[in-house]
Amino acid sequence: MDKSTRGDTRIGWSMDRNQIRHKITSKYVALLSLTEAGLGSLLHALHIPLSGHFLSLNQAYLLSNAVRSHKEESQAKRVELVSVSLEISVFAALFKSLSPAGKKLTPMIAISIQGALFSLGVLAFGSTPIALATSMSMLALWAFAQPLLFAWLIFGQEFFEAFFWGLDKLSEQLSLPLDWGLWIYAACVLIKLSIAFSLGLFSKSKKLERLSSSLSQSGKKILLKKSTTSHTQQHPFKGALKDLFSPLMLLSFFLMTVFFVFSTALTPTQEVWTMLRALCVGLVLFYLIRAFPLKRVALKIENKHPRLASIMNAVESEISSDHDDPKSERQY
């Protein structure tokens, strides 16, 4: 075989791998976007709290399947598998900003960082079943960290002081060890990590595939319905007020108030200013989360990257494949 023939073979092989990568990336960006919508809607309808933990397990399962599929179809090296899992997460996060369904920025942050944690696991441990299960466990941890980060941003360290103060008082009333609450929290973390690890080991299960397919079909209906019926969006300030007076935020403010009333950690003036600061920071933060022009930024990024635009178009084609008018213009 002469040099030109070998060169043509390499080009053809490279094109095949690029096509495989494009196909898998498009497929799993669509699946992640659809199952996020389907599972999120189901959890909301059932009023199940802490739904982010279930959504993170869903993302971990899909990224594991994507990496395994790409490995099997193209014999890709570890670095390329890392790149594929990162792309799927980042592109799904960008698609979230174009979707009319639900909140935008906080899920985008979660999807992106969780994808980065999973990719770090693949880079460090590889793509064997046990390695992917370990990567899924790393991803699952972020759902515990993000709420704590937002609590610190809004309330500061006083929130954690109030939490441990309340835990201490409750321990006295129930005659329990001081660290019982931390043990329960650690048990919840270990249970979730065990579930994530098990999902990694049994990700080829036909039952899990059928469940994922069912969620994606539900998500497709939800996204299509909202894209055709949601013509106006809630004003960012009104949405920020709604977030500020959500049950979880009210519970946090109540805990802080009780802590300040029965604790001598701060003077009355400092207590008032601390609560006002938390109210202002929370309102500003929730407003920025809703008012930030995510859709405009995402469209600019998409326009400057042809490959991203191609993948996003493929995702939209997948989502609108059952729509009555498949030739309709983008509604996301």
Side-chain angles (χ1 to χ4, degrees):
M1 182 183 294
D2 59 24
K3 292 183 179 179
S4 61
T5 305
R6 287 199 299 271
D8 292 341
T9 304
R10 288 195 190 96
I11 292 172
W13 182 68
S14 177
M15 288 178 63
D16 290 340
R17 289 186 64 170
N18 286 335
Q19 290 171 354
I20 291 171
R21 179 171 175 170
H22 184 276
K23 180 189 72 173
I24 289 176
T25 302
S26 302
K27 173 185 175 181
Y28 281 95
V29 171
L31 274 174
L32 181 53
S33 302
L34 291 170
T35 53
E36 278 266 329
L39 181 58
S41 177
L42 175 63
L43 295 173
H44 179 72
L46 297 175
H47 302 287
I48 295 177
L50 306 175
S51 57
H53 291 280
F54 295 94
L55 294 174
S56 67
L57 290 173
N58 172 66
Q59 182 182 356
Y61 167 74
L62 291 175
L63 288 180
S64 175
N65 281 356
V67 167
R68 193 186 70 244
S69 298
H70 192 50
K71 178 74 172 179
E72 291 173 353
E73 292 190 33
S74 67
Q75 299 300 311
K77 295 182 179 180
R78 187 179 298 190
V79 174
E80 187 174 347
L81 297 177
V82 169
S83 179
V84 166
S85 61
L86 265 177
E87 282 185 351
I88 292 170
S89 300
V90 173
F91 292 173
L94 284 171
F95 188 83
K96 183 73 177 178
S97 70
L98 301 173
S99 166
K103 295 181 179 179
K104 307 288 193 300
L105 187 57
T106 45
M108 287 176 65
I109 293 171
I111 292 169
S112 300
I113 295 181
Q114 287 169 175
L117 290 172
F118 180 89
S119 300
L120 282 175
V122 174
L123 182 63
F125 307 114
S127 57
T128 63
I130 292 179
L132 289 176
T134 304
S135 300
M136 291 172 68
S137 300
M138 291 174 61
L139 181 156
L141 287 171
W142 181 251
F144 291 99
Q146 184 163 307
L148 296 178
L149 176 62
F150 273 86
W152 176 77
L153 286 173
I154 294 172
F155 297 103
Q157 68 177 16
E158 287 86 1
F159 174 82
F160 299 99
E161 292 176 4
F163 176 79
F164 286 110
W165 175 84
L167 196 63
D168 181 42
K169 295 301 180 183
L170 188 60
S171 299
E172 291 180 3
Q173 293 295 322
L174 300 177
S175 300
L176 292 172
L178 289 176
D179 55 356
W180 68 274
L182 297 178
W183 280 112
I184 291 177
Y185 187 80
C188 293
V189 174
L190 287 175
I191 289 171
K192 186 182 179 184
L193 293 182
S194 300
I195 294 172
F197 196 86
S198 300
L199 281 174
L201 295 180
F202 300 101
S203 59
K204 291 185 178 181
S205 167
K206 295 297 182 183
K207 289 184 179 180
L208 288 176
E209 290 180 4
R210 286 196 293 269
L211 176 61
S212 182
S213 176
S214 176
L215 288 172
S216 68
Q217 290 301 315
S218 298
K220 181 182 292 189
K221 294 176 182 178
I222 291 166
L223 287 178
L224 286 173
K225 181 179 179 180
K226 291 196 174 184
S227 68
T228 55
T229 59
S230 57
H231 300 292
T232 59
Q233 292 186 343
Q234 188 179 48
H235 191 277
F237 186 76
K238 186 177 180 181
L241 285 175
K242 184 178 178 182
D243 290 338
L244 193 63
F245 291 99
S246 66
L248 188 59
M249 288 296 298
L250 290 176
L251 180 62
S252 299
F253 279 113
F254 175 76
L255 176 62
M256 295 282 290
T257 302
V258 172
F259 170 65
F260 288 144
V261 169
F262 292 98
S263 171
T264 58
L266 299 176
T267 65
T269 303
Q270 289 174 323
E271 292 171 2
V272 171
W273 279 111
T274 300
M275 295 302 290
L276 287 175
R277 183 196 66 187
L279 282 169
C280 293
V281 171
L283 186 61
V284 170
L285 183 62
F286 291 137
Y287 177 81
L288 291 176
I289 286 174
R290 291 178 174 273
F292 190 79
L294 289 169
K295 184 172 183 179
R296 199 184 316 158
V297 173
L299 288 172
K300 285 183 178 179
I301 294 173
E302 183 181 344
N303 291 334
K304 292 182 179 180
H305 295 81
R307 184 167 176 274
L308 172 58
S310 176
I311 289 174
M312 298 300 263
N313 287 331
V315 172
E316 289 175 6
S317 297
E318 169 65 23
I319 290 175
S320 61
S321 59
D322 294 334
H323 198 266
D324 293 335
D325 185 13
K327 295 182 180 180
S328 61
E329 296 180 356
R330 168 185 284 176
Q331 301 179 53
Y332 298 98

